């Protein structure tokens, strides 16, 4: 298995996140270079639901550890699973989602195995058998190229770095499925999830994974007006973000904050509504593929980095835009 | 029960300042930029001070880095109210990657009887957020990351782990490593008295050898990850701007979004 490229599937009780499908796509491409196959690792309940989705993205093998234990003790079980299997089977490397959970697991696996981690990666190539990764740094002002001295190569890939592409029909149908069990030592049982609280935004994609993000700032003037941002996001099947000014005012949860002290997002489309574009905000969204700004102040710095800017009152523009988008979608 | 708390802080460049990478080894040229205590670390320091105020005990600030780490980062934490500092500094640490930094910090912290080790959940310069979980692993401790609320009850610590659509309540027996999220609290400003007394607070200065760190596992050579090069990121924005004076900007924007296949 030494040439295989593994993927740790990020999921919520079997609901596979979009970034997992992007990781599988990237693993397939890398495996073509290493001469191995893509392998998916799945821990926790929900494989019945996840399996058919994962299979479409073409892993040659899936390693599944079913059971509640895998989630009850927070991240430690996943660390035990990945570290144990990597030590045992020595793949070329492992791809993790570069989101808080994925990076946490990668860091602990690396520390346990004496390996290194490439974090916040947006592109990988292979040179001389080792990965060469790109990482837009310092708020997206520069791109750093980095590598690891030795395998196993642990790599955290940012959401939306590569598009998710299903495997060609020519590749063999369903992957080989291997059920594994992991013995959890006492040390892995010390942190326990005692409660799960869902507060907001259920049903919308997470801001750091969504291909389209609509963010609201202080220009919204009132928390109730975030409904305008949410409606536009929903029309584009997007996630909702917020500036720090909006979060500090208590209008939207911190989990949605974009910027230096919030999430770094790289969506295909980022729409800033009533946001001035302070350097700390730009640090979190500058690498978006296409940027749209709606702001009433023509001198606002956000326009300097927008592909398409609208100078106008958001209370006029945004509802009409949402309506127009829904109208055009309905026509097709 | 009084708490022995360590809080790890990193000196980072102020965002507003231009960051310059050393052209020879691609590490951050720390003399060329204005340095501050990491903004997220400030939140971790505040959380440590609040826990101390609620339960009694002592807060030790720990920082690894050159002289400026002590001057800019640890001193600010002391002036906010931390009791003492440990400064790990050694030319051998230059160029350490996140895993190497975590290993070095773990050697400083191992064997000291801390109940809680607080970190910022991510720095504001390299932002890998690898250090806190790797530190927990090297110490063999549970790591409770992305903490928005931290409470201690007897021998247990509880956090709210921030998720996109809510949070998880996670509980562990102490000792534990906690990664504190931005927004967990509003950090205090150092008082005049705090700034005055900070200068007299004890600072323990350690080198690699004193801390028992294996020099082969730190620094540029001892790090598994290696920077190969840095380039300015090409970003050609189209900067189309339309004014809504005629009231039809939403149509033009919808046209643009349709051409770009977002509709
Ligand atoms: C250490 C540190 C960390 C920080 N981290 C972050 C971070 O992670 N994320 C972040 O976002 N910020 C961060 N900030 C704060 C940042 O500096 C700005 O203060 C913040 O981004 C401003 O938010 P805003 O653009 O919503 O508000 P403002 O700057 O007040 O801008 C509001 C905008 O709305 C426009 N507007 C008002 N009314 C209307 C209307 N009717 N129609 C259209 N437009 C309108 C205005 O023209 C203005 O441009 C940080 C700051 C510091 C010091
Ligand atoms: C552009 C760039 C990319 C990089 N990519 C990688 C990479 O992919 N993999 C890798 O291993 N390294 C990488 N590094 C190196 C890494 O950033 C440094 O080793 C850095 O010192 C620690 O990582 P961080 O700033 O990301 O810390 P984070 O893990 O984001 O820091 C989180 C918290 O850990 C604590 N902490 C961190 N550093 C210290 C310290 N010196 N003293 C005390 N407490 C501390 C603080 O509480 C801090 O808030 C990169 C560096 C640069 C400049």
């Amino acid at each position: 298995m030494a040439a295989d490229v593994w993927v740790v599937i990020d999921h919520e009780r079997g609901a596979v996140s979009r970034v997992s499908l992007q990781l599988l796509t990237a693993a397939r491409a890398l495996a073509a270079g290493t001469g191995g196959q893509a392998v998916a690792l799945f821990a926790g309940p929900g494989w019945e639901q996840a399996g058919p989705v994962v299979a479409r993205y073409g892993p040659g093998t899936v390693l599944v550890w079913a059971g509640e234990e895998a989630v009850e003790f927070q991240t430690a079980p996943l660390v035990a699973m990945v570290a144990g299997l990597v030590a045992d089977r020595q793949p070329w490397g492992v791809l993790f989602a570069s989101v808080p959970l994925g990076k946490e697991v990668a860091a602990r696996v690396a520390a346990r195995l004496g390996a290194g981690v490439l974090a916040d990666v947006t592109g990988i190539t292979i040179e001389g058998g080792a990965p060469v990764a790109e990482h837009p740094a310092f708020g997206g002002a520069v791109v750093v190229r980095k590598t690891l001295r030795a395998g196993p190569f642990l790599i955290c890939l940012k959401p939306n770095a590569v598009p998710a592409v299903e495997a060609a029909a020519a590749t063999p149908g369903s992957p080989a499925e291997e059920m594994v069990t992991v013995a959890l030592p006492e040390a892995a049982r010390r942190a326990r999830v005692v409660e799960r609280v869902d507060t907001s935004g259920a049903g919308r994609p997470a801001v750091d994974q969504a291909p389209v993000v609509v963010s609201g700032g202080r220009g919204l003037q009132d928390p109730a007006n975030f409904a305008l941002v949410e409606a536009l996001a929903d029309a584009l099947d997007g996630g909702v973000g917020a500036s720090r000014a909006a979060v500090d005012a208590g209008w939207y949860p911190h989990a949605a904050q974009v910027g230096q002290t919030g999430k770094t997002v790289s969506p295909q489309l980022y729409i800033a509504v009533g946001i001035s574009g302070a350097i700390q905000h730009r640090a979190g969204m500058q690498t978006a593929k296409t940027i749209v700004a709606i702001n009433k102040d023509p001198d606002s710095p956000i326009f300097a980095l927008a592909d398409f800017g609208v100078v106008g009152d958001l209370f006029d523009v945004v509802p009409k835009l949402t309506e127009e988008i829904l109208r055009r979608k309905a026509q097709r | 029960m009084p708490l022995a708390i360590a809080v790890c802080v990193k000196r980072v460049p102020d965002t507003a300042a231009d960051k310059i990478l050393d052209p020879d080894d691609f590490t951050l040229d720390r003399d060329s930029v204005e340095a501050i205590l990491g903004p997220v670390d400030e939140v971790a320091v505040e959380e440590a001070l609040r826990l101390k105020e609620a339960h009694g005990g002592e807060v030790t600030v720990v920082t690894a880095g050159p002289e400026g780490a002590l001057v800019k980062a640890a001193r600010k934490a002391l002036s906010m109210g931390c009791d003492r500092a440990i400064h790990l500094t050694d030319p051998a640490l230059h160029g350490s990657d996140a895993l190497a930094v975590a290993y070095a910090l773990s050697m400083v912290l191992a064997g000291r009887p801390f109940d809680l080790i607080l970190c910022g959940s991510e720095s504001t310069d390299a932002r890998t957020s690898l250090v806190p979980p790797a530190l927990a692993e090297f110490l063999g401790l549970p790591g409770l990351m992305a903490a928005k609320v931290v409470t201690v009850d007897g021998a247990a610590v509880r956090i709210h782990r921030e998720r996109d659509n809510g949070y998880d309540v996670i509980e562990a027996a102490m000792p534990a490593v906690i990664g504190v999220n931005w927004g967990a609290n509003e950090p205090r400003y150092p008082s005049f008295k705090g700034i005055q007394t900070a200068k007299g607070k004890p600072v323990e200065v350690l080198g690699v050898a004193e801390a028992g760190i294996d020099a082969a596992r730190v620094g540029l050579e001892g790090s598994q990850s290696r920077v190969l090069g840095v380039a300015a990121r090409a970003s050609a924005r189209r900067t189309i701007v339309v004014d809504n004076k005629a009231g039809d900007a939403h149509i033009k924007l919808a046209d643009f979004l349709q051409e770009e296949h977002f509709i």
Side-chain angles (χ1 to χ4, degrees), chain A residues 30 36 53 69 75 111 116 154 159 182-183 185 194 196 239 256 272 284 323 326 332:
Chain A
L30 287 171
V53 180
E69 230 186 4
T75 50
L154 308 180
V182 179
V194 293
R196 230 183 124 71
E323 207 175 298
L326 292 174
R332 288 186 309 142

Side-chain angles (χ1 to χ4, degrees), chain A residues 117-119 135 137-138 144 146, chain B residues 8-10 21 26 30 40-41 62-65 96-99 101 105 118-123 125-132 225 227:
Chain A
V117 178
L118 296 176
H135 167 182
F138 306 131
V144 168
K146 54 191 187 178
Chain B
C8 298
V9 303
K10 185 186 179 192
L21 290 182
F26 306 116
R30 305 215 175 248
V40 190
D41 293 352
V62 181
T63 191
S96 297
D97 72 359
L99 270 294
V101 169
L105 289 172
L118 266 49
C119 292
S121 57
E122 64 178 21
S123 73
D125 55 351
R127 302 189 70 167
T128 66
S129 65
L130 297 172
V131 172
S225 72
V227 174

Side-chain angles (χ1 to χ4, degrees), chain A residues 156-301:
Chain A
C156 303
L157 193 64
K158 297 266 311 173
N160 302 316
V162 298
V165 181
E166 293 187 16
T171 44
S174 47
E177 208 172 285
E178 187 185 335
M179 304 305 278
V180 298
T181 49
V182 179
L184 276 192
E186 209 38 53
R189 297 168 184 268
R190 278 184 288 180
R192 184 190 295 265
V193 182
V194 293
E195 196 188 344
R196 230 183 124 71
V197 181
D198 288 311
T199 48
S200 66
R204 271 190 206 102
V207 67
D208 56 352
Q209 294 206 26
V212 174
V213 173
V214 185
S215 286
R218 199 186 334 246
L220 287 170
Q221 289 169 21
D222 187 277
N225 294 330
F226 253 92
L228 298 175
V229 170
E230 292 180 338
L232 178 55
D234 291 344
L236 293 163
D237 302 317
V240 174
S243 74
R244 173 176 162 193
V247 170
D248 280 358
W251 300 352
Y252 227 67
H254 174 254
Q257 183 175 316
V258 172
Q260 188 194 0
T261 45
K263 300 267 164 60
T264 311
V265 304
S266 292
Q268 296 296 311
L269 173 64
Y270 187 88
I271 305 183
V273 178
I275 292 176
S276 61
I279 188 164
Q280 295 92 349
H281 187 77
R282 276 158 41 196
M285 44 67 81
Q286 195 150 229
T287 57
K289 188 139 185 300
T290 300
I291 296 175
V292 170
I294 302 171
N295 196 303
K296 69 177 180 189
D297 174 7
D299 297 324
S300 183

Side-chain angles (χ1 to χ4, degrees), chain B residues 8 20 25 42 47 52 55 64 72-73 78 100 114 124 161 176 204 222 225 242 246 253:
Chain B
C8 298
I20 301 170
D25 62 5
E42 235 174 80
E47 203 60 35
K52 171 187 155 176
H55 301 275
K72 295 286 186 172
L78 290 174
F114 289 116
T124 50
R161 181 192 178 104
E204 185 184 349
S225 72
V242 302
L253 178 47

